[in-house]
Amino acid sequence: MLPHALRRGLSVTGLLLATSFSAAALANETVTIQHSSGETEVPVNPQKAVVIDWSTLDTLQQLGVTVQGTPSNTAPELLKQYRDGDFIRAGSLFEPDLEVLQSTQPDLIITGRRAQGQYAEVAKFGPTIDVTPDPKDLLGSLERNTRLLGQIYAREAEAEALISKLEASVQELRKLTAEQGNGLLVLTTGGRMAAFGSGTRFGMIHDVFGLPQAVDNLQVGRHGHSVSFEFLLEANPDWLFVMDRDAAIGREGVAAAQLMDNELVKATTAGQKGQIVYLDPVSWYLLDNSGIGVMQTSVETLIEAFSAANR
Amino acid sequence: MPGSELTPRGASAPRVTVWLIILLALVVGLALWSLNVGASRMSLLNVLTGDPDDRLSKILFASRLPRTLALLLAGSALAVAGLILQMMARNRLVEPSTVGTMEAAALGLLVLAWLAPGAPLPLRFALVSVFALGGTLIFLAVLRRIALRSALIVPLVGLVLAGVIAAAGALLAQQLDLSQSLRAWNSGDFSAVLRGRYELLWLAAGLTVVAMLAADRFTVIGLGKDFATNVGVNYGRLMLLGLLLVAMISASVVVVVGAIPFIGLVAPNLVRWLCGDQLRRSIPLVALLGAALMLAADLAGRLIIHPFEVPSSGLLAVTGCLVFLVILIRGRKQWA
């Protein structure tokens, strides 16, 4: 039985697009893509694609595609093929460099969540698709985006293979989380921490992976709630997930582990059982787990953590 | 009383004593309340009546007591630092967060995160102090070169400098991808305070005591360099002491909890309004009022969306701005 989120991911439009359009599109060399900000006709196998979204670059890497343009920021380790070399550098994730887009005339532009507000501006400079995930259906969005990238680069079979593999892993993870008690996720920044619950940007730990929440009124706001260590003790989660925001940008020295190493956290069930999991901030924070490569890795990491606890 | 609020007048001893008692009671009351409020359901009564199991004493001694002490120490130290800075700048509309001291301290933390992320606490404190000192020095140096020192020019110069330092910090943070961290350091908040993580503030308390003992001489500085020299005070050395006090107090607060705005402005001005200008008698009042404001702001932050928290610096910034405006408007005649 597929969970709700998965069923929605295999929506009717997605299936239609994947099957009927692709054959015709190849002949015309274009394909019509339905995305988060509308519908756009884009060339198949674009020759000058600019992708201002790390997660999309991750998915494309999994599909075996290298694009011509990336964000200007230094690429994370897992995308190191884009660190050096002759790529178009098209501004920050939040603010695409419109002048670069104008001068380079890409035949495909892909923007993500952080630049969603700029979509209309960016779309003036070439066929643009917006892959912002639906926060209520993160897994479905990821699958949809993987499929549409497969279509654009004529790698539908590879896309489906990645999706099936991920779905199997998610199923395995959900079986494990069903019997592991509850969990709480905190993000640490500059020595402070905020808690995130279902429906937030890190809510997939509950919403997709099925772990019950240790505190059930945590939903409000994408940026979470500032909390104290006393809050952690009171919430007393069986599993504590910690994401070090400062490490997302390569500051491993100021470890969240140091922040969490205190008597109150140690007194929680998670602390006593050693069930504190440090999540990879590049996957979870920088890429929002919205690329199929990082998502697969995140799911596998959690499977490993939960299986170890079962033994 | 109306119309004369901001004119200096001597503090009569009984009046100061009355306020001392009132503020002391207020601080004690707020401190007890602070011990009683937190994300968990534990209340002080549980400790007195119920069996104090391990968890209760843990919450009290590892979390609430350190937090309450941190609030007391930071609040009183910042209030006194604000007062000293006002004497040095000879203007009552300045304080460490409006002249660049706090901004420079946060910039120091940013540079540390960039170049020496794992630096031990003493090194962190020393480096942030140097930055805070630099920020304050720039302000005082610019001030000395401005011939026309109307009362309003001084805080404006401070705000401009603070803005420049903050902008430099923001630019660097943007380059280093540390904007969120810089934001955390710029908006102080006591939610992560625990036993073992606030003790640097005792140093701030020691500095506050030094400032109180030197208070008389700072009163003389407030009267100008010539006057100070005439009555036999070593102006240069005293200015250096004041600078060190302000910078190190600000640095210790920024390192432990982040920047806390407006306490240094509001507390001294309210005390002046209540008791007049004579520092020697009223400096304990300034410290107490600073502690009370800090406790109240943090308590509000803990209660508004309990069990989650609102950073107290945000609440202080809002109320501090309002008080700043009131002081400006009420004192208009005097500034004009």
Side-chain angles (χ1 to χ4, degrees):
Chain A
M1 194 58 199
L2 283 173
H4 189 59
L6 292 191
R7 277 204 308 272
R8 264 200 291 180
L10 301 165
S11 64
V12 181
T13 44
L15 282 175
L16 277 179
L17 281 170
T19 52
S20 64
F21 278 98
S22 52
L26 271 177
N28 305 343
E29 295 296 329
T30 70
V31 58
T32 304
I33 297 294
Q34 223 165 42
H35 54 86
S36 306
S37 291
E39 215 176 73
T40 306
E41 194 173 319
V42 306
V44 173
N45 279 320
Q47 295 307 297
K48 201 193 275 179
V50 172
V51 178
I52 317 169
D53 179 45
W54 297 127
S55 339
T56 303
L57 289 170
D58 171 50
T59 303
L60 286 171
Q61 184 166 273
Q62 293 298 313
L63 291 171
V65 174
T66 301
V67 298
Q68 292 70 43
T70 73
S72 304
N73 315 52
T74 308
E77 178 68 22
L78 75 129
L79 292 169
K80 58 175 179 282
Q81 61 160 319
Y82 293 112
R83 276 195 178 164
D84 307 301
D86 192 19
F87 295 100
I88 299 166
R89 304 299 185 185
S92 79
L93 300 177
F94 291 95
E95 286 183 56
D97 189 332
L98 300 180
E99 282 173 34
V100 167
L101 294 179
Q102 180 159 38
S103 63
T104 50
Q105 298 277 317
D107 55 359
L108 174 66
I109 306 170
I110 301 180
T111 61
R113 172 179 74 76
R114 291 175 170 95
Q116 193 174 32
Q118 315 278 326
Y119 175 78
E121 253 336 280
V122 171
K124 291 176 189 163
F125 300 98
T128 305
I129 62 175
D130 168 19
V131 293
T132 302
D134 173 2
K136 292 195 186 70
D137 183 16
L138 295 167
L139 189 58
S141 302
L142 172 58
E143 293 179 353
R144 181 205 66 176
N145 290 334
T146 306
R147 286 201 174 90
L148 68 81
L149 293 171
Q151 268 179 275
I152 294 172
Y153 284 95
R155 292 175 193 232
E156 280 105 331
E158 289 91 332
E160 291 307 326
L162 289 169
I163 290 169
S164 319
K165 184 178 172 202
L166 178 62
E167 284 189 353
S169 300
V170 170
Q171 284 308 308
E172 192 186 339
L173 177 57
R174 288 182 67 95
K175 260 187 225 129
L176 287 168
T177 56
E179 52 208 35
Q180 292 282 353
N182 58 33
L184 178 69
L185 188 152
V186 295
L187 173 76
T188 64
T189 301
R192 251 60 75 60
M193 59 183 177
F196 286 77
S198 168
T200 64
R201 61 186 294 185
F202 308 121
M204 71 168 60
I205 204 137
H206 310 295
D207 304 336
V208 180
F209 304 154
L211 193 70
Q213 300 196 78
V215 181
D216 52 16
N217 57 343
L218 254 175
Q219 64 277 52
V220 214
R222 283 189 62 75
H223 294 286
H225 279 305
S226 189
V227 293
S228 58
F229 291 106
E230 200 182 316
F231 176 88
L232 296 191
L233 184 63
E234 182 72 9
N236 194 22
D238 297 308
W239 289 84
L240 182 61
F241 299 94
V242 184
M243 201 183 328
D244 188 351
R245 196 272 161 199
D246 297 341
I249 35 106
R251 311 271 147 211
E252 315 286 350
V254 221
Q258 226 173 327
L259 191 66
M260 292 295 148
D261 180 22
N262 64 64
E263 48 199 316
L264 293 196
V265 170
K266 279 183 191 140
T268 61
T269 308
Q272 277 162 4
K273 289 190 176 172
Q275 300 188 147
I276 302 176
V277 180
Y278 294 90
L279 300 172
D280 171 29
V282 170
S283 307
W284 282 81
Y285 184 93
L286 197 61
L287 272 71
D288 293 324
N289 269 342
S290 293
I292 200 153
V294 290
M295 178 69 151
Q296 181 70 40
T297 313
S298 294
V299 172
E300 281 168 9
T301 309
L302 288 176
I303 289 176
E304 206 169 297
F306 286 125
S307 318
N310 266 359
R311 264 179 247 132
Chain B
M1 191 174 289
S4 67
E5 282 88 349
L6 287 155
T7 50
R9 58 189 170 208
S12 69
R15 191 188 179 92
V16 170
T17 312
V18 169
W19 278 111
L20 203 59
I21 292 166
I22 294 175
L23 283 177
L24 202 57
L26 185 65
V27 167
V28 170
L30 285 168
L32 286 174
W33 193 5
S34 166
L35 289 175
N36 205 38
V37 170
S40 76
R41 285 179 301 268
M42 189 217 74
S43 80
L44 274 185
L45 281 176
N46 293 139
V47 177
L48 298 177
T49 61
D51 48 341
D53 69 10
D54 181 45
R55 187 159 167 273
L56 286 181
S57 56
K58 192 163 268 163
I59 291 174
L60 187 63
F61 292 112
S63 168
R64 298 219 187 141
L65 186 62
R67 184 168 187 163
T68 305
L69 286 172
L71 290 164
L72 280 168
L73 299 176
S76 50
L78 284 174
V80 172
L83 183 62
I84 302 286
L85 188 63
Q86 288 167 17
M87 305 311 280
M88 289 197 297
R90 296 173 62 193
N91 185 291
R92 56 183 61 165
L93 296 178
V94 297
E95 69 118 16
S97 79
T98 63
V99 303
T101 310
M102 292 266 189
E103 287 75 7
L107 181 63
L109 277 180
L110 184 68
V111 169
L112 267 171
W114 174 28
L115 300 177
L121 186 67
L123 185 64
R124 286 163 66 81
F125 173 64
L127 196 107
V128 172
S129 294
V130 169
F131 271 81
L133 192 68
T136 322
L137 260 179
I138 294 173
F139 168 66
L140 291 174
V142 170
L143 217 53
R144 271 177 59 185
R145 279 164 183 73
I146 293 176
L148 183 72
R149 281 184 34 166
S150 97
L152 283 178
I153 290 286
V154 178
L156 284 179
V157 167
L159 286 171
V160 169
L161 284 174
V164 171
I165 296 173
L171 188 68
L172 184 62
Q174 178 84 37
Q175 297 302 312
L176 301 172
D177 245 330
L178 279 169
S179 299
Q180 274 89 343
S181 304
L182 183 65
R183 206 173 304 151
W185 299 322
N186 272 328
S187 59
D189 139 15
F190 288 74
S191 61
V193 168
L194 283 180
R195 174 162 60 192
R197 295 202 179 157
Y198 79 102
E199 282 73 4
L200 181 60
L201 289 175
W202 286 106
L203 182 66
L207 298 170
T208 311
V209 172
V210 172
M212 285 175 159
L213 293 176
D216 266 348
R217 271 171 277 175
F218 282 107
T219 315
V220 177
I221 266 198
L223 298 171
K225 183 177 180 178
D226 295 340
F227 185 89
T229 311
N230 281 343
V231 297
V233 166
N234 187 330
Y235 185 82
R237 200 181 292 169
L238 198 54
M239 282 296 269
L240 182 64
L241 174 67
L243 259 172
L244 283 172
L245 287 172
V246 170
M248 287 166 78
I249 286 175
S250 303
S252 60
V253 172
V254 170
V255 166
V256 176
V257 294
I260 301 285
F262 284 114
I263 295 239
L265 181 81
V266 173
N269 278 296
L270 273 179
V271 168
R272 273 198 198 99
W273 181 59
L274 295 172
C275 295
D277 245 351
Q278 215 193 52
L279 202 56
R280 187 169 52 128
R281 289 213 190 93
S282 58
I283 197 165
L285 294 185
V286 173
L288 280 174
L289 187 58
L293 287 169
M294 195 67 249
L295 279 164
D298 190 68
L299 267 169
R302 266 183 270 172
L303 289 168
I304 289 172
I305 52 168
H306 188 269
F308 314 111
E309 304 205 7
V310 181
S312 43
S313 59
L315 299 171
L316 278 172
V318 174
T319 39
C321 279
L322 290 175
V323 174
F324 192 56
L325 285 175
V326 170
I327 294 173
L328 280 180
I329 293 165
R330 294 201 129 175
R332 202 167 39 194
K333 276 188 208 125
Q334 200 187 335
W335 315 133

